[in-house]
Every structure is written in C-alpha cells, then in structure tokens.
Amino acid sequence: MFRTLKDLFDSFTQPSTTQSPAARAHAVQLAAAVLLVEVVRFEAAMDDAERATMVTALRSKFALSDDELERLLELAVTTSKTAYDYQRFTSSLNDHFTQDQKIQLVEAMWQVAYADAHIDANENHTISKVAGLLHVTHGEYIAAKMRAKEGSPL
C-alpha cells in the first residue's frame, strides 16, 4: 500500500498536480484516517471500541484489505502524533471529497467519539474545528452528530 513513510509525508508537501493518482489516493486515505485518530488523540490510550469504529469507517470509505487498513491506521496514529494543524489534511479532503463524503467523515468522527460512551471537550472541539475546515455547515454538522449519537452507547 504505502512504499515508505517518507513517500507518504512527501505526498502532503507536493502539489497535487505533480502526484500520481495512486499517491493522491494514499494521501486522501491517510488524511481521513488521521482526522479520525485526532478525535481520540488527547486520551491516554485508544480503546478497542474506538479503534474498531475507525476501522469500520475507513473500510466503508476505501476499498482496502484488512492488512492495508491496519497499516493505514498505524500510520495515521504515527502521523497524528506529529501533526501541528488540521489544514494539511482537510485541504486534501476538500480537493478530493464531495460534500456528502465530508459530512460522512464528520459523522464517522462523532461515531469514534461516542464509541467509548464518553464525550469530552477535546473531542467536541476537534470535530467542530475539522467540520469548519471541511466547509461542513452547522446544520450538516448537527445532523451528522445526531445520526452518530443514535447508534452510540450513550
């Protein structure tokens, strides 16, 4: 899936016009995965329910094998630890996702937040910030949150 970690990081710094279609696809996949990981970044550890929710969300968005999903999530966790802003991830998604796909990602972020039956201020802030950067309207954001809450243990 990913040749090296450096190739993937380079994909964020190169203009999308100079990237191969495969590199662009990998960059979009990593951007979505990192944003899901960012929801739980401030917790001591990611629990099994949160991880399973992330894998389910990524599986529904991208046609990846189980091994590729695990590698993508592992890389997303590593990338998230050094992320200093969301702009480099959201700009890639704004270029390649439809509005519906962006709303689905926000909903998936809420599903991850609800997975451990506890919403904290950091999770709420992260999702709100990302939704704004993805140009998801307030109404779309609230609807995504409500849909995610319907299936949550809260």
Side-chain angles (χ1 to χ4, degrees):
M1 183 173 126
F2 299 113
R3 287 193 309 271
T4 66
L5 185 61
K6 182 186 178 314
D7 292 342
L8 199 51
F9 286 133
D10 289 345
S11 73
F12 282 111
T13 59
Q14 293 176 359
S16 62
T17 56
T18 63
Q19 293 178 339
S20 71
R24 279 193 300 273
H26 294 313
V28 167
Q29 292 166 356
L30 180 61
V34 167
L35 293 175
L36 291 173
V37 169
E38 282 293 308
V39 173
V40 297
R41 180 177 180 187
F42 296 102
E43 294 181 4
M46 181 187 319
D47 71 23
D48 291 339
E50 291 165 333
R51 184 176 185 80
T53 302
M54 287 180 209
V55 169
T56 300
L58 293 169
R59 181 175 283 123
S60 73
K61 290 184 183 1
F62 307 115
L64 300 172
S65 69
D66 289 344
D67 182 52
E68 290 171 325
L69 282 169
E70 286 301 318
R71 290 179 64 204
L72 175 62
L73 194 52
E74 182 180 308
L75 184 57
V77 169
T78 302
T79 303
S80 175
K81 289 177 183 175
T82 60
Y84 52 87
D85 71 356
Y86 303 131
Q87 184 66 38
R88 66 182 178 151
F89 306 112
T90 57
S91 65
S92 175
L93 297 176
N94 281 326
D95 290 343
H96 296 95
F97 270 20
T98 65
Q99 187 66 14
D100 283 343
Q101 289 173 313
K102 291 188 269 185
I103 294 166
Q104 289 170 5
L105 179 60
V106 170
E107 184 175 342
M109 291 175 78
W110 276 115
Q111 289 168 345
V112 170
Y114 283 124
D116 67 354
H118 172 73
I119 302 291
D120 68 31
N122 289 320
E123 292 169 331
N124 195 28
H125 175 75
T126 298
I127 300 168
S128 177
K129 177 85 170 169
V130 168
L133 291 169
L134 290 174
H135 312 295
V136 171
T137 68
H138 185 68
E140 293 165 336
Y141 169 83
I142 295 300
K145 182 178 182 177
M146 294 295 101
R147 285 190 302 273
K149 189 174 184 177
E150 288 173 8
S152 78
L154 283 180

